[in-house]
Amino acid sequence: MSEPLISSDFRTRGILNGLRVVECGEGISAAFASKLMADLGADVIKVEEPTGDILRWRGPFAPGQEPDPEKSGLFLYLNANKRGVTIDLTVPGLKADFYGLLSSADILVHNFHPSARPPRGLESEALSKRFPSLITVGISPFGDSGPYKDWKGYALNIENAGGMAFLAPGASEYADLPPLKAFGDQADYQGGLHACFAVLAMYLNRLNGGAPSSIEISEQECIAAMLEMNLMHYTYTGRETSRLGKRVIGPWLLSECRDGHAFVACAEEPQWQRMVELMGDPEWTHEELFRDRIARGANSDALNLFMREWMSSWNKEELFHAGQAKRIPFAKVNTMKDIRDDTQLNYRNYFVALDYPEREEIRVPGAPSRYGVNNSTARTAAPRLGQDNDELLGRSGTSPTPEKPNPTRPSSERLPLAGIRILDFTWAWAGPFATLQLAHLGAEVLRIESEQRVCITRAIPPFADDVPGPNRAGYFNQYNQGKRSITLNLADPAGLQVAYELVPCCDVVIENFAGGVASKMGLGYDKLRQLRRDVIMLSMSGYGQDGPYRRYLGYGPPAAALSGFFFTTGYQGMPPMELGTSYMDPNAGIFGAIAVINALIHRKKTGQGQYIDQSQLETAVQLMAEGLLQYQITGKEPERVGNHHPIMTPHNTYKASGNADKWVSIAVGTEDEWRALCAVMGKPELVQDPRFSTPSARKQNEDELDSIISGWTSSRDRWEITKALQRAGVAAFPSMSNQDLATDEHLRERGYLVRLEHPEVGRRTHVGIPWTFGGRSSGVASPAPLRGTDTDAVLSKLLGYSAEKIDRLRNAGTLS
């Protein structure tokens, strides 16, 4: 049975107790941002149009059930723990109701398109004047400024506009098939995540006496920030990356087993040696073709033949555990049933019950991070349409009186985390992506590095001009902007002692070793809080600090396999497929950054530090809720449908003219957009064609409609198509390569593309920050540091070390 629901007075607990949030708009992004706050105790009031949020008709619905606005699984999941009202914001006489809500709110989260804001009174500047203490965040496809600001974009378009779809599926053999979107509306989830992070940071800033500010989030920029090293392949070496071709290293393989699929990626040579041992040391592994990871990547066709044959003899579960027992990053490709029944997730009590009508035991993702204090786990059902109108809008009496307009809102250039210092023990991508977000908000990030264990991102291509070197790696230089670097040998007791002396100078300590490793190194939370009582520590591991998987190796691609992304992503009628990037790494990073902000808010209110345990697998499953709901509500696993959508048709990426890999995404969400598409194509007769005259008819004849649209797009330039459709109000956008992004006029005009002078590689283009404060770019503070460049300055300034002491430590190998 589902857990009993608890009344809304549970908000007296939770890290965000006392925070009031108003959410409006529709769809996923704003709802997901405010859900993350509601689940930690914030009082979230959801404002819907009188017809209700579009997600009320999205489903999934129980078999045989007509669409019912009170029974849509995705709506119920994203809006649990909230209260709800209905207001038509386009009716002037009703704005007083809305302003009455804002008068007592701390935060407004919305995702209305910039063109839809003026009729609803949602212009940020006007709201700032009327409500000086209100923090407003607006999420849109392309941001509030720049050449594309008025363009439409659904999640499919944004995944293509941000460069993510162009890279998927990874190592594809299907040049004739289009770039592939990941399962679900990932651009919307990332827009919501980044909005949650930025707005909570601004709330912390307000608690610290700073001035509130309006915030804008560009979903295109959120996605472009998560492309691993792909952009730098162009800006550092001039190479255009693609989903087509081979992986650089090997083995990197998604392969069939006896009962499903499994995945393995050996990024490091010792992992391969352990793989050879697991396979029984077969003769073929000693051939020159497979001498190192680069050779194995170059000869992956031959390698994969051997690997597939070997993997096909295993059950996926057995292979996963046998590989991980030897410290090889294997993962099983989980179905939704596998995820629901997963040993690790259930050991950690990850799932929570969802109140779903006429269904028992619907289980959905719970908290993405475990806090040491003030976790809020109680849940209330999502609001019925207009459920709280009488209580919150005074519809039985009089509406609340709006706050008096105040034109004297203060301004401030101070970034929200100015004065916060982070001790950063992370490496690879997930951890550095988390600390990058904190650096972007003004925190001083001290990155601890070691010559004994060079960060893998300093050691792999692309290197500037193809000249290797630890300071020339584009991967490292992208995700460590704005940080400082200290070299410290933590295997040396004297090095560990230096780390201990740094802890009292820092507010937050972050590490992303495997579960339990930090404690074994002497850097566990129990030790650190002896050094600073209110220290906040975030541990970002693959699977969490407890449970049967706690020692397993975790990277982004295995997390994508285990969380269901590989199973649900793929072309229709074809096997599971990889994503094109290690998407789950930056996803874990932004969740980690949110956790740190929440802990800083809690410390500001209570004086308490705390320990945060975050599992990359659990943050990945956060984005798989729709698949889990579909399985549990309908009894069916999600089908792989390529770029198609549960409701919208047409919704695909189509071949354009030009070379063999030019594509344009087109998505239609309303009947007006459908009529406009037909007009632009010069085929108005399709509007009345019985095959396409209704949304359900178009869905039923989707393949035929795709063929008609492809016939039109294939003889036209992708930008010509995009501009013609956008002028008519239809969401369209080319599938962008790394070269397209690096030279994009919109991103350049918005200041998103960053070219700072680096001491060793000069000016190279990197991506910047996907949010702005008060209409101004927050700006990247500095390029990535040279390895160890700040060691002397930090030790002398923070710890008072003399030059002689620093020299002694360096000569002894402590500072290496």
Side-chain angles (χ1 to χ4, degrees), residues 688-700:
Q688 301 302 324
D689 190 314
R691 297 170 299 171
F692 313 123
S693 58
T694 65
S696 60
R698 291 196 293 276
K699 179 59 68 177
Q700 186 174 352

Side-chain angles (χ1 to χ4, degrees), residues 443-455:
E444 180 185 7
V445 176
L446 306 181
R447 196 186 200 294
I448 305 300
E449 301 194 67
S450 172
E451 294 177 10
Q452 284 71 38
R453 192 191 189 212
V454 176
C455 183

